[in-house]
Amino acid sequence: MPRYQATLLIELKEGILDPQGRAVEGVLRDLGHPVEGVRVGKVLEVVFQEENLLKAEERAKALGQLLANPVMETWTLEALKEVP
Amino acid sequence: MRWAIVRFPGSNCDEDARFALKKAGMEAAFVWHTEKELKGFDGVFLPGGFSYGDYLRPGALAAKSPVMEAVRRFAEEGRYVIGVCNGFQVLTEAGILPGALLANLNLHFTCKEVGVRVERVDLPFTRLYGKGQVLRLPIAHAEGRYYADRETLARLEGEGLVVFRYAPLGGEEDYNPNGSLHDIAGIVNKRGNVLGMMPHPERAVDEVLGGTDGLPFFLGLAKEVAR
C-alpha cells in the first residue's frame, strides 16, 4: 500500500487569548519588529499507509478531528502527499 | 466505598489521592489506564500529574485511553467521578465535562496556595463545608485557565454548576491564579456526580501537608456512602 504524509495545522480558535503568542509578540516588538500579532499553533506530520489518495484524505481528516480539541482549537489539513 | 484511582503514564498525585481517600475511611486501589472495566468500584478518581508528559495538550492523550470508556459509563450511571488538576483536564478533553483548560495567562507553572470559595454545599464533596467558605488549597499547574464559550458559561452559571471559584484569602486583588473565566476553579455536571477541579484537596488533608481544608471534601464523600 502507498504511504502518505499528512500535515495537520492545529491552532487556537480566533478570539481565544493565546498567552504564548502574546509573549512572542512582546519579544519581537522589543527587538524592533513592528508585528501586529502572533499566534502559536502546532504542526503534526502524520505518516500512514492507505489504499489511495482519496482514502488517505479521509483518514487525514479523521485524524484532524481526533487530534484537535474543538472547544478551543481549529485544525487544517495543510498538505497531503505520497511519500516513499 | 471503594475507589479506583486511575494511573496514567505520568500521574503523580495518585499516592496523595489514596492517602486522602483512606484517611476518610474509604478503600482505594490503583487501576492502570489500559484496563477496560472498572468492576467492584463505586467511584473513580483521576489524579493530578502529567499524563503522557502533557504532549499534544494536557490530558488529551489520556482522554483517549481504554479506561476512559469505563469512566464515561461510570459517569452516565450516576456513580462518582472526580478529576483533580490533570484529572480535570482529562475529563474536559474526554468531553465528560464541558470547556477546556488553557495555558495560565502569566505563562508560569504556578505552585502555591490559593483561596477557593465553596459555591454549593448540597453535593457529597461539599456537604461538610459552609456556603461561601473560603478554603486554602494548593494548586500546581501550567494549564489551568478554565475556558468555555459564552453559551456554555451561561449554562454553567444558570444551572449552578460552578462548585469552586478562586477567591481572595486575605483581600488580595490578583487572587485568580491563571485567568480562569468567572474565576472558575471547579465544576460539576448537572446530575452532581462528576466533579472536575484544578486545586488539590487531596494535598491538604493533614497538618504535615500544610493544611486540612481538603479533608472535609473526602469525609463528605465517605458520609454519602454511609447514608
Side-chain angles (χ1 to χ4, degrees), chain A residues 10 12 16-20 23 42 44 66-69 71-73, chain B residues 56-57 61 64 92-93 99-105 107 145 147-148:
Chain A
I10 297 181
L12 277 178
I16 292 188
L17 181 61
D18 173 10
Q20 211 178 162
K42 284 180 187 136
L44 281 76
L66 183 73
L67 293 169
N69 180 335
V71 176
M72 54 174 154
E73 294 172 332
Chain B
L56 191 61
R57 290 176 307 275
L61 299 175
K64 313 280 195 282
T92 57
E93 281 287 346
L101 282 312
L102 299 174
N104 297 348
L105 273 189
L107 284 182
R145 173 167 51 116
Y147 169 85

Side-chain angles (χ1 to χ4, degrees), chain A residues 54-73:
Chain A
L54 205 66
K55 292 217 164 164
E57 191 177 344
E58 276 174 27
R59 183 167 308 280
K61 286 179 175 170
L63 289 168
Q65 302 273 17
L66 183 73
L67 293 169
N69 180 335
V71 176
M72 54 174 154
E73 294 172 332

